[in-house]
Amino acid sequence: MTSLDALAEALGPRNILTTPEDMAPYAVDWRGSYRGTPQAVLRPGTAAEVAAALRIATQAGLAVVPAGGRTGLAGGAVVREAGPPAVVLSLERLNRIRDVDARDFSVVAEAGCIIQQVQQAAVAVDRLFPIAWGAQGSAQIGGMLSTNAGGIRTIRWGNARDLVLGLEVALPDGRVLHDLRRVRKDNSGYALRHLFIGAEGTLGIITAAALRLVPPLRAVETAFVAVPSPDAALALLSRVYGAGADVVAFELISHSCMAVVARYAPQIRLPLPVESPWFVMLELAASHAAVPVRAMLEAALFAADEAGEITDGVLAENEAQRLAFWRIREDYPEFARAAGPAIATDTAVPVSAVPEFLARAEAALAARWPEGRMLALGHAGDGNIHLSLRAPEGMSREDWAARAGGADMVVNEIAVELGGSFSAEHGIGSLKLHVMQALKDPLALELMRGIKGLLDPRGLMNPGKVLPGN
Amino acid sequence: MTSLDALAEALGPRNILTTPEDMAPYAVDWRGSYRGTPQAVLRPGTAAEVAAALRIATQAGLAVVPAGGRTGLAGGAVVREAGPPAVVLSLERLNRIRDVDARDFSVVAEAGCIIQQVQQAAVAVDRLFPIAWGAQGSAQIGGMLSTNAGGIRTIRWGNARDLVLGLEVALPDGRVLHDLRRVRKDNSGYALRHLFIGAEGTLGIITAAALRLVPPLRAVETAFVAVPSPDAALALLSRVYGAGADVVAFELISHSCMAVVARYAPQIRLPLPVESPWFVMLELAASHAAVPVRAMLEAALFAADEAGEITDGVLAENEAQRLAFWRIREDYPEFARAAGPAIATDTAVPVSAVPEFLARAEAALAARWPEGRMLALGHAGDGNIHLSLRAPEGMSREDWAARAGGADMVVNEIAVELGGSFSAEHGIGSLKLHVMQALKDPLALELMRGIKGLLDPRGLMNPGKVLPGN
């Protein structure tokens, strides 16, 4: 019996895909940047089946590439052509909410649950699952954890890692680490779970997670303001932290980004004229409707105006307007694609270093690629600004990559010099192996390789991802 | 040159203690439960000196036991007599605040900084360092991180782990892992820092940490209420989560604990008569003085009273009264010692399981040791109740240990059956090795031993702690 036959027997023949047509969606990432054809696509339905599939595949020397909603930006879920023969293991059928408990403020979700599905399960018991980002209608819990995703609510509730109470993980040899507890305090030995979070499936496959829920937001107020500079934006941030309600979003948007929206998304009604060098979209919220969030936000913005931190601003008057504000932020990646090719980055720096980071990056990029336009938009409250360098009009993706392909490294180096990270919330995947090699502390890389060798001694878990040379 | 001579040369002769008198404070834990005499006590003054000391000691085959404020409850900082020859490495001279940044909401503190010192550094820039517990005047940052300490604010800001932005760690071979960044998002490979947090110095020695600060609390209101049952306490917890302000403390206290305070701490004025089976002390807070926290708390308690969740209650009328409430909670361990010997535990269960946990533990303890009294007090909002079984009056510590020594295991087993932990916030040290052996998942133990072997192949870092059989 071949290993594929054994896998078919373990999972049922319908749950192993082997024709090029069936496998096509799993052989490429959603942007078409990464391609790799697996030997088969496995679709186990339970954690035990994931474990069985891992045991069979790794015994046969087959590499295993786990896949979730496949919305990643770093190619983590696509087979590398240069690697060993591999199967894709899709978690899509592990899509059960195993438990949701209002009194406990927790949910236990399998890895294939869509983020939105978990959000809805929380709403059904009057709770909030606070992770949110543009791809939440497709992205899955397993991918969210394996990339330690961030998103727009990180400023208040942290990254995906910070919401994990417990994990269930299938190891390469087919054993399952059962640590799916909902306990909030546990100091019984080393924090194994944190190794698997953010590891992009290179150490094992997360099959389910116990996750924290929080009280629902009963009062939310959103403002879109013009600020004269990133320094002013940070002063505004400190101010609203003390406004009395929770700061649940604080997004910085450059003039150039707003100009992209104005030109390529004419259906969007802009809240403010595109006349300021920078804009901030911020949201305050409270868990009780009686909290005067609107008055708090107005008072903070009034004082910010007096202090010269903002030059203009508008508050969403109702939920429809609030959602319209959010469309600018959440659909921005689509608008930007229409505006032509760009070299993108995903850096973070200490919050206080954001102004220096932006100034240095802008100067360095302008000096080397004066024909490009720097776009900056992101989670300023986390120090995580997504910078990109856009091509002059009409230039092809290939030409711009050839010309400005080093722009990401220029930005990454500045971020690292300022004590920051070259990979804030998207992960490493295949995309950033060269950056890991160039900019990651060699001692940290050595320790990571040791951990990889310990947990996956044959190197069959998502090979060629995260660690350069693996 | 002997290894002690080499250490004296590296650290300066004044910073290596070798006489029994000088070493005495380091040779015993503060409760007198653990004793062990080192070959020497090292007092390095910088991270480089810590690294040099590690290199010299481990090359000579000397084990190294790191020590901080030595307020731990599990014997983690004391040499084990049965182990290899060992030196104690005290971090007390690494006591500099390297940086505190209001705009960045961060502080960089060396491992020997006292918790209170870091709290004060934060206050000086109008920020809050939210970790707090009874021993904060002596406990140090390194110990806080190495035990992943909890405390009274965990319900709002998490455990020590959750406040860490970056670490500097000296490895057994004398190399230093420089990851002392203040960045809030970093997904560049495996989360190495989380291995060292909570590892009690068995993998390396934390020499400094970058830690999150939060906005200061401008309005704080504290209530002491009588509740009819743990179930009612949980209903009250859900209610106050939605009250509009932050829940920054939620402590459950049994009638038996209040009776101890009434009898052994007559200087304390009790806020309520000792007539209820359970009490809750809770605190709501906000970052702006204009938030009507008092009205929110009153409204929540009024509704809780209507719903039968509370039977009596009092709000602190001023800061002096608030601090008086807190004395009951924070000084309780002292009052309890006066009440005689007890078998203590440090369990956590899912928050929703607290009532069942308490009921089952009480029944099991009463069945086997009817002469004992169960005391329960702890962080109910985290599911972390400290249960203890107190001896009948007049019984000696030794006699009670001989008679009721298995009581901790009875409680631990119930916690684990309910999906909880036998070590919530105090760590394993020497105290709970037998519990790790009996109740920890063998696969988790196997992975932990692999990690120990990887990072400390000669087994010289705090041997005989955390992992049974090491």
Side-chain angles (χ1 to χ4, degrees), chain B residues 409-430:
Chain B
M409 216 53 183
V410 168
V411 174
N412 289 332
E413 282 171 8
I414 294 169
V416 170
E417 279 170 30
L418 291 171
S421 169
F422 51 82
S423 176
E425 58 175 5
H426 297 165
I428 301 298
S430 301

Side-chain angles (χ1 to χ4, degrees), chain B residues 285-378:
Chain B
S287 60
H288 195 292
V291 180
V293 178
R294 190 167 182 96
M296 289 167 171
L297 182 53
E298 284 170 346
L301 293 181
F302 184 83
D305 185 46
E306 296 274 294
E309 292 156 10
I310 67 173
T311 56
D312 199 357
V314 56
L315 271 68
E317 290 300 328
N318 49 50
E319 184 65 8
Q321 203 177 1
R322 193 178 86 83
L323 294 177
F325 285 8
W326 273 111
R327 278 205 59 199
I328 297 172
R329 176 63 189 93
E330 295 206 322
D331 295 348
Y332 176 79
E334 275 179 46
F335 309 149
R337 254 193 308 284
I343 310 294
T345 63
D346 172 33
T347 57
V349 295
V351 174
S352 57
V354 164
E356 182 178 353
F357 168 70
L358 289 171
R360 284 179 57 179
E362 181 156 36
L365 294 173
R368 254 183 87 175
W369 296 283
E371 72 279 26
R373 278 170 303 153
M374 185 179 96
L375 304 178
L377 161 141

Side-chain angles (χ1 to χ4, degrees), chain B residues 92-174:
Chain B
E92 66 202 271
R93 290 180 60 234
L94 275 83
N95 60 358
R96 283 169 294 264
I97 304 282
R98 291 195 196 162
D99 183 64
V100 56
D101 187 330
R103 197 156 79 150
D104 201 50
F105 286 81
S106 70
V107 58
V108 179
E110 293 186 339
C113 290
I114 309 283
I115 308 304
Q116 217 161 55
Q117 177 190 358
V118 179
Q119 291 169 341
Q120 286 161 357
V123 167
V125 297
D126 197 29
R127 296 291 179 259
L128 174 69
F129 178 64
I131 292 263
W133 77 95
Q136 64 197 23
S138 307
Q140 296 174 6
I141 291 295
M144 174 193 91
L145 294 171
S146 294
T147 58
N148 185 24
I152 53 174
R153 297 299 191 207
T154 309
I155 189 171
R156 173 59 184 86
W157 289 286
N159 297 291
R161 179 187 303 286
D162 301 303
L163 294 170
V164 176
L165 297 171
L167 286 185
E168 179 185 85
V169 184
L171 300 180
D173 62 9

Side-chain angles (χ1 to χ4, degrees), chain B residues 442-464:
Chain B
L443 177 53
L445 275 179
E446 179 188 321
L447 296 180
M448 289 179 195
R449 289 202 174 99
I451 288 163
K452 172 75 173 173
L454 181 72
L455 284 160
D456 178 28
R458 297 178 62 193
L460 293 172
M461 297 305 300
N462 210 359

Side-chain angles (χ1 to χ4, degrees), chain B residues 171-192:
Chain B
L171 300 180
D173 62 9
R175 292 187 293 177
V176 176
L177 184 64
H178 294 282
D179 186 34
L180 202 54
R181 289 176 297 168
R182 295 176 294 137
V183 67
R184 278 151 205 272
K185 284 181 164 179
D186 178 25
N187 283 337
S188 57
Y190 309 148
L192 296 175

Side-chain angles (χ1 to χ4, degrees), chain A residues 89-104:
Chain A
L89 189 153
S90 170
L91 281 303
E92 66 202 271
R93 290 180 60 233
L94 276 84
N95 59 359
R96 282 169 295 265
I97 304 282
R98 292 194 195 163
D99 182 64
V100 56
D101 187 331
R103 197 156 79 149
D104 201 50

